[in-house]
Amino acid sequence: MSNAMRRSFDTLVRSFLRLNETRNYWLFALLLAPLLLAFVPPHGVLSTNEEHYIGMAMLFPSGVPSDPNSALFGFMPHTFVFSSLTKSLVQLFGYEATQIIGRLLLVIAYSLALAKLFRTISLPVIEAWIVLIVFFGVDQHILGGEWLFGGYEPKTLAYPLVLFGVAFVLERRVVLAVALFAAATYCHFLVGGFWFAFGLLYLALNRVPFKTLLKMVALYVVLSAPVIYLVFAAHFDDLVGDVSGANYSARWIYKYFSQPHHTAPFSSVWEFRKWAPGIFSLLAMLVICVGILRRRSSKQEDLALFTAIPVSWLLIATCLTFIDREGYLAGFLMFRPSSVALLLFLSQVAIYLRENTGFALQSGRLAALILVLAM
């Protein structure tokens, strides 16, 4: 490489590093948006999940298909935020445009939420790009088939709110965090519920006063009361369709036949082989989080503790699925936290590398090289 090219390359690296350290929230979000557009392209071609959930939204509020031969079943009344919004969009613009609008809304929401989270944990832009690329490259989950960036559906409306909530918990802005977890619960009951519980446990482990924790629970219950009622008012068998003529319960069918990739790691040797790498990864991740906690690094300790909570839960959930042979817990999709837990862990690794190696400089050089090659 000639001296002129080397100087140009070094200038480019320094520019990237200055950009990397930006504290401007809106610029940070803007820089994340192109990557997220690549993850969730708004092309108007509905995925299988989008066909299902947008189709289900068109049944709102009755939940009953107009065609008695319709294959749609499992209407979820507690997803009324998604259903009402999506039905209105379809009626105004059609199915393809609704997918485009929905995905664009997700890109905006995820850009803002991730920018907030990454700034809260002091992860600069370039490292954030690398974390997201690695996260997407390893299928966005540890085990259980969960994801953040896969299309427009109820849970993807909830996840940006959860990411905001996690950031505010780490900042100890508990009232705002509870409000965001409650809002996420209206979009998807399990997503909002799981992460509220994790946030509560994190604060309890940080010795937040018990009275404050009780107030958080009371506020969450009050804010989420309507959707909590809808969830518990709906019988599980009603959500999975009529199986009165079957030899097995609706829960068993759901766990072992309909959703084993989400709920049943021990359903067969073949299924366990697919889950085993994730189970062993959880053990390694928990050891790493505990190791970081033992180092007592103030910048890393909070995130390591928060990350260890969902990782521990996923290990507990693995044990529970082995015990729960009849599928009583299957409807709770206990591995739902897998995706955000992976994102937090990868962020933790990036912060550790940044603080203990020359990762910041190397990531700047890598980003510059990628740009040069792209040109």
Side-chain angles (χ1 to χ4, degrees), residues 242-296:
D242 181 12
V243 294
S244 56
N247 294 324
Y248 301 97
S249 68
R251 292 175 176 83
W252 191 96
I253 293 171
Y254 184 81
K255 177 174 181 176
Y256 293 105
F257 183 75
S258 175
Q259 305 289 330
H261 55 294
H262 289 317
T263 62
F266 304 103
S267 59
S268 67
V269 173
W270 173 250
E271 194 67 41
F272 179 74
R273 288 175 63 185
K274 292 189 289 185
W275 285 69
I279 295 171
F280 289 114
S281 295
L282 285 172
L283 292 170
M285 291 164 68
L286 184 59
V287 169
I288 291 170
C289 288
V290 171
I292 291 173
L293 285 170
R294 288 172 64 89
R295 290 170 59 92
R296 300 289 181 183

Side-chain angles (χ1 to χ4, degrees), residues 105-306:
L105 289 173
L106 291 179
V107 168
I108 294 170
Y110 273 123
S111 297
L112 296 172
L114 288 167
K116 173 61 182 175
L117 177 62
F118 289 145
R119 288 178 77 248
T120 298
I121 62 177
S122 301
L123 189 68
V125 175
I126 296 173
E127 283 90 331
W129 288 346
I130 295 171
V131 164
L132 289 171
I133 290 169
V134 172
F135 172 77
F136 192 78
V138 296
D139 288 338
Q140 307 184 52
H141 69 105
I142 310 164
L143 75 180
E146 185 63 357
W147 45 261
L148 301 184
F149 313 120
Y152 172 64
E153 59 181 74
K155 70 179 181 183
T156 53
L157 291 183
Y159 275 126
L161 296 168
V162 160
L163 295 171
F164 271 120
V166 170
F168 287 125
V169 167
L170 292 171
E171 292 178 349
R172 306 296 196 275
R173 298 167 68 180
V174 295
V175 173
L176 191 52
V178 171
L180 286 161
F181 289 136
T185 304
Y186 277 87
C187 298
H188 195 287
F189 175 74
L190 293 175
V191 172
F194 269 124
W195 286 97
F196 167 73
F198 296 152
L200 192 71
L201 181 55
Y202 166 81
L203 293 171
L205 293 173
N206 271 286
R207 300 180 180 178
V208 169
F210 184 68
K211 186 179 293 187
T212 300
L213 298 177
L214 283 180
K215 289 179 180 178
M216 289 178 62
V217 173
L219 178 60
Y220 178 79
V221 170
V222 169
L223 292 176
S224 307
V227 71
I228 292 173
Y229 168 77
L230 288 173
V231 168
F232 286 98
H235 193 272
F236 182 82
D237 291 355
D238 297 332
L239 299 180
V240 297
D242 181 12
V243 294
S244 56
N247 294 324
Y248 301 97
S249 68
R251 292 175 176 83
W252 191 96
I253 293 171
Y254 184 81
K255 177 174 181 176
Y256 293 105
F257 183 75
S258 175
Q259 305 289 330
H261 55 294
H262 289 317
T263 62
F266 304 103
S267 59
S268 67
V269 173
W270 173 250
E271 194 67 41
F272 179 74
R273 288 175 63 185
K274 292 189 289 185
W275 285 69
I279 295 171
F280 289 114
S281 295
L282 285 172
L283 292 170
M285 291 164 68
L286 184 59
V287 169
I288 291 170
C289 288
V290 171
I292 291 173
L293 285 170
R294 288 172 64 89
R295 290 170 59 92
R296 300 289 181 183
S297 171
S298 59
K299 292 185 178 180
Q300 299 179 35
E301 191 174 354
D302 284 347
L303 182 58
L305 178 59
F306 202 116

